Amino acid sequence: MGFTLSASAASAIDTDVLALIVGAEWSGDATSQLGAEFGGELVAIAKEEGFEGKPGQKFISHTLGRATARRVLLVGAGDKALTTDQQKDLGATISKAGGAVRARNAAVWTAWSSPRWTDADRAAGLVAEGLLLGTYRFDKHKAEREELPVLADFTLLGTQAKSAVARAESVAAGVVLARDLVNEPPQICTPDFMADCARTLAEKYGFEIEIFDRAALEAKGMNLHAAVGRGSVEEPCLIHLTWKGKNATKKIAYVGKGVTFDTGGYSLKPAASMVNMHCDMAGGAAVLGAAEALGRIKPDGVEVHFIVPSASNRVSNNAYTVNEIIKGYGGKTVEIINTDAEGRLLLADALAYAVELGADEIIDLATLTGACVVALGENYTALFSNNDGMAAAVLAAASTSGERFWHMPLDERLRDKLKSAHADMKNVGDRWGGAITAALFLKEWVGETHWTHLDIAGPAFLDAEGSLGPKGGTGHGVAALVAYATR
Ligand code: BES
Ligand code: MN
Ligand code: ZN
């Protein structure tokens, strides 16, 4: 299991799939690395099949015993500088192609020092991350699941980037955990299930842990969170893990929306809009995924709080209704106008809790609004912040991690839309600027603390297979949270 870094010649590697990531100069690279006896023919066949080393092209062939590797896979990288996400995608392309031929191991060679990679060590890390993510599947609930071999052993040729690869393994483990949580169906992934996952993490990595159940939420006055969970027999809970790095000079809080199913409540969603609402805990899953990754990395100099307010938003005689006026943990009151705007309610209490902990900086992640997906599409996370310096730092972390975040305006002029006749605020605005009014609602609970809100409703889950993984949870945000905590 895992990665081997090797200085062997590609032609000498005993592996199921030898992958060569190459550009237009590929025939030269390939022949010199594979040995003339095989390379000459390989070049001819690949050319015949139209492979030119362009981005998106690949060519796989059996070696018929003429090389030590069973198969050779050519993957086109083009000649231009590769973006961060393209570098990860190349790794995933290899593991998907390897999986398709039932490989158990693969070796990767490329000219790491080529300018297309920008930074050789970082490139090895990104390719490694892509290799791991590309093998991801979620088939445990298929009764007739095929027992496919697991592609789990990778050799990287011609690189010594040990620490970049180790880091990629940690990040990938976090992403995989987040994906698994999101993909687990809602009768299994309940608030209790998320709490159990946090208990396992605490055990594994020595985090401090605190879990508030329904009674504790009510006793503490986390009334908005308790209200969202009131309609379900599944108990809501607040999950709080703490990592205390040595010589910490900064306290960061990561807060993730953990709505394990969002029916909309009495403001019931239409049938079609309810599908996939088990993914409404993706923010919480990203926070737990970041805990998995940072538990492995064990960063010094920083204290990180992982906070997941979790609940199932359902209807019952006991469920919360519109026109209730509820006092949040931060002391302000909210008039409920729409029970489907539930994420901001449990986040409000969790943000006030993070402020109370004395966090210097808070980042929240939430599948918060459909409006966000209308505005930015499925590939971008909307970023809102009350501090431009922090916003720039989070954007920089996302560009390191290869995730797409877009800075949105926290337009104070829209605050009037949240005015309530009888409470301090309503929980929704009107039709316009729905992602912005949701962010303005959250801002009410963070005071002066530097805070960044990430609306991940678009990229948190995929409706169809994507470059880095299958349909379902993506683990989006995990890598940026890791990059931010370790910058
Ligand atoms: N969980 C949804 C947002 C969502 C929608 C996420 C689609 C992913 C895909 C959220 O709780 C919600 O229902 N938001 C409402 C807000 C509205 C009532 C102001 C929405 O977007 O319609
Ligand atoms: Mn909702
Ligand atoms: Zn929701």
Side-chain angles (χ1 to χ4, degrees):
M1 273 290 275
F3 285 89
T4 308
L5 306 185
S6 163
S8 306
S11 56
I13 285 289
D14 182 2
T15 183
D16 289 340
V17 174
L18 170 61
L20 308 172
I21 307 176
V22 293
E25 80 299 351
W26 69 278
S27 51
D29 281 351
T31 44
S32 61
Q33 287 295 318
L34 274 184
E37 75 285 3
F38 179 75
E41 280 175 353
L42 173 76
V43 171
I45 303 167
K47 261 196 188 142
E48 187 66 30
E49 300 301 317
F51 181 85
E52 295 170 301
K54 288 188 180 153
Q57 290 187 328
K58 63 178 197 252
F59 168 77
I60 190 162
S61 169
H62 208 280
T63 59
L64 301 171
R66 289 186 227 180
T68 324
R70 255 74 65 209
R71 286 183 181 78
V72 63
L73 167 67
L74 300 177
V75 181
D79 297 316
K80 298 203 182 78
L82 296 162
T83 61
T84 303
D85 51 316
Q86 284 172 330
Q87 296 181 42
K88 275 200 234 183
D89 286 354
L90 286 165
T93 300
I94 292 168
S95 48
K96 283 193 220 171
V101 297
R102 301 176 168 250
R104 290 176 187 281
N105 50 63
V108 180
W109 177 88
T110 190
W112 299 105
S113 55
S114 145
R116 82 165 64 85
W117 294 110
T118 333
D119 176 307
D121 281 12
R122 186 162 171 259
L126 291 167
V127 169
E129 196 179 325
L131 285 166
L132 292 171
L133 295 181
T135 65
Y136 180 83
R137 49 184 199 249
F138 188 76
D139 54 7
K140 63 194 274 200
H141 296 293
K142 283 190 188 258
E144 293 182 26
R145 108 174 111 151
E146 250 185 297
E147 288 300 336
L148 293 170
V150 181
L151 174 51
D153 284 302
F154 300 100
T155 304
L156 300 185
L157 297 167
T159 171
Q160 237 106 82
K162 219 177 150 182
S163 66
V165 171
R167 189 190 168 85
E169 289 184 277
S170 298
V171 171
V175 171
V176 166
L177 176 69
R179 288 181 179 182
D180 280 346
L181 285 168
V182 171
N183 289 335
E184 204 62 71
Q187 86 279 22
I188 294 175
C189 184
T190 60
D192 274 346
F193 185 90
M194 295 195 78
D196 279 340
C197 170
R199 285 186 190 99
T200 306
L201 290 169
E203 183 94 351
K204 247 163 94 181
Y205 302 118
F207 297 127
E208 287 173 21
I209 180 165
E210 204 154 15
I211 295 186
F212 301 145
D213 61 7
R214 193 194 302 268
L217 292 173
E218 285 168 1
K220 282 186 79 70
M222 296 184 163
N223 302 315
L224 293 167
H225 184 170
V228 173
R230 212 202 289 152
S232 176
V233 293
E234 290 162 8
E235 288 226 359
C237 65
L238 181 88
I239 298 162
H240 176 194
L241 293 170
T242 308
W243 164 253
K244 287 190 169 153
K246 288 196 194 89
N247 309 315
T249 53
K250 194 181 233 182
K251 234 189 222 193
I252 307 176
Y254 291 155
V255 179
K257 171 178 174 181
V259 172
T260 57
F261 198 77
D262 183 11
T263 67
Y266 273 106
S267 310
L268 194 65
K269 286 184 185 292
S273 308
M274 210 184 288
V275 177
N276 288 335
M277 280 301 127
H278 66 300
C279 300
D280 211 18
M281 32 57 72
V287 168
L288 294 179
E292 169 77 51
L294 290 169
R296 291 167 184 247
I297 295 168
K298 304 193 184 306
D300 287 338
V302 67
E303 182 172 312
V304 189
H305 294 264
F306 304 93
I307 300 168
V308 181
S310 186
S312 192
N313 187 22
R314 296 185 186 232
V315 280
S316 78
N317 186 62
N318 207 34
Y320 79 136
T321 63
V322 300
N323 293 121
E324 287 190 26
I325 293 180
I326 303 169
K327 186 180 231 169
Y329 191 55
K332 297 179 190 175
T333 60
V334 179
E335 180 184 6
I336 308 302
I337 300 298
N338 191 318
T339 62
D340 197 13
E342 84 296 340
R344 64 195 74 183
L345 299 175
L346 45 72
L347 285 170
D349 281 353
L351 290 171
Y353 178 72
V355 170
E356 187 187 61
L357 291 172
D360 300 305
E361 295 179 332
I362 304 173
I363 299 181
D364 78 72
L365 300 90
T367 46
L368 203 62
T369 64
C372 176
V373 195
V374 173
L376 295 181
E378 288 120 311
N379 299 312
Y380 275 85
T381 276
L383 178 151
F384 300 86
S385 183
N386 63 358
N387 180 276
D388 285 343
M390 184 182 182
V394 178
L395 287 167
S399 90
T400 303
S401 75
E403 293 165 305
R404 301 175 190 88
F405 291 5
W406 195 258
H407 199 169
M408 299 275 279
L410 201 50
D411 183 0
E412 294 291 344
R413 281 162 291 209
L414 304 195
R415 174 59 180 82
D416 280 354
K417 294 178 192 281
L418 295 175
K419 273 193 177 155
S420 159
H422 304 298
D424 294 328
M425 69 196 87
K426 300 191 294 187
N427 77 326
V428 293
D430 59 18
R431 249 161 74 69
W432 312 120
I436 300 175
T437 49
L440 287 168
F441 180 92
L442 296 178
K443 182 174 173 280
E444 292 289 320
W445 308 90
V446 296
E448 299 301 308
T449 306
H450 291 181
W451 154 80
T452 297
H453 160 57
L454 301 173
D455 193 333
I456 60 169
F461 54 96
L462 294 168
D463 278 333
E465 184 182 339
S467 59
L468 282 175
K471 176 184 157 107
T474 56
H476 177 89
V478 170
L481 292 182
V482 172
Y484 191 78
T486 56
R487 93 208 126 95

